[in-house]
Amino acid sequence: MTAIASVHSSDTTIPASSMPLIAPHALLHAHLSQSPPRRPSDRTLTEFRPIQLNVGSLTHCNGSSVVKIGETTIVCGVRAEILPVTEIPSFRVNKTSQTQDRTAPSRRKNGNGTEEEEQEFLGQDTISLYNLVVPNIELATGCSPRHAANTPPSVEAQSISQRLLSLLHTSRLIRTSDLEIIYTPPVESQSQELGIDTDPQLKAYWTIYIDMMCISYGGSVFEAAWLALYAALKNTVLPNARWDADLSQVLCSAEPAESRHLVLKSMPVPTSFAVFTPEKRLQSRLGGDGVPHWILVDTDSFEEECCDESGCITIDAADESTPLAILRIEKHGGGIVDMQGIEGLLVAAQERSRQWKQVLAGALKNL
């Protein structure tokens, strides 16, 4: 009888650590119902997680970075390979791109673009047409219970890779002229009788492969992947490449002093968000007009699983002296976020850009 009594008198309280598994929606709703609302991570609705960034960690790459945002950690490596134009099927030379100044800073389009800007706009078709910039992210590394190791690429990984590629093209981050390898024949080789001139000749392109590995999945992976990509590209160094007419091939200099950093034209900063609404059985109890909801930025993996509506706002933070430049607005599921909500998210996006600039300045100060 003593043993039976001790069993009935045992503590049956559910540990707090088990609540996210037993009732995730109820747990998140209980935190957001506070005044003021607080998330389970003790953040406010518009508070971002701290960022840790390191560049140049992988010495065998042309550029690399390691990004940690909350519990999300991504390693990124950039490798540059030479693509001769003779290996491109049906290649056609865009002669205007050969005369662009590689050192001149790019200018933002403001209505009517200059001739140089129009040429660079046409050159972006070259990057996408010949796949000169190729990002790829790997999630099947055991980074979370949903992504087991040694499995084929998941739909989410392919989706993030495509979004990264799309943003690279939309933002025109990399100049086509920086990827061109031009050969200018010497003046003494010109012969009008033989039809030989000294016009610059496009011989090859640099192809940029951006490989990322997510080693810890803690939510908002696209943001972390883009920051890792951007920081790695800022860290990328291309050797001096020249065309050798005698060998008929591209040769790269081994002198570090002759190498050059890749120049990025803009600074796209994405800000992810998600909308949490209580379960339907609780909505009737809460009453009020409309559906009660909370808009969260920089969501972690626990919050993402509890939210049905999500999205991402990307702005260009390269120049703060100009009006806010919105590159894209993405939204998936639901219909709660209206224009007023978008305006509030734009304020959060500007705060996000300031955080990114501070982190990048600290990591890239020695470049």
Side-chain angles (χ1 to χ4, degrees), residues 181-297:
I181 299 176
I182 304 294
Y183 170 66
T184 302
V187 178
E188 55 270 17
S189 65
Q190 182 174 3
S191 174
Q192 295 182 353
E193 295 180 357
L194 298 177
I196 302 176
D197 56 29
T198 57
D199 290 338
Q201 302 173 12
L202 178 60
K203 294 296 185 178
Y205 287 106
W206 282 109
T207 303
I208 308 297
Y209 293 96
I210 310 168
D211 298 313
M212 285 165 281
M213 179 177 293
C214 178
I215 59 178
S216 178
Y217 190 107
S220 299
V221 174
F222 175 74
E223 285 182 74
W226 180 260
L227 178 57
L229 177 150
Y230 186 88
L233 288 177
K234 291 285 287 187
N235 179 244
T236 297
V237 177
L238 299 178
N240 181 35
R242 63 179 181 84
W243 176 261
D244 189 291
D246 296 330
L247 299 177
S248 297
Q249 65 180 16
V250 177
L251 301 179
C252 294
S253 173
E255 294 295 330
E258 298 181 5
S259 61
R260 58 185 175 87
H261 280 278
L262 192 64
V263 178
L264 305 184
K265 296 178 56 181
S266 57
M267 184 183 174
V269 178
T271 301
S272 63
F273 65 89
V275 181
F276 174 75
T277 56
E279 296 176 308
K280 292 184 178 180
R281 62 184 179 84
L282 294 176
Q283 294 180 13
S284 57
R285 300 180 187 177
L286 297 174
D289 297 332
V291 179
H293 65 276
W294 294 266
I295 301 178
L296 316 175
V297 301

Side-chain angles (χ1 to χ4, degrees), residues 22-49:
I22 298 174
H25 287 80
L27 177 62
L28 183 55
H29 180 253
H31 280 81
L32 297 179
S33 298
Q34 302 178 67
S35 182
R38 306 290 296 188
R39 304 200 224 179
S41 58
D42 201 34
R43 290 187 291 153
T44 63
L45 302 182
T46 58
E47 184 178 349
F48 297 97
R49 294 175 293 178

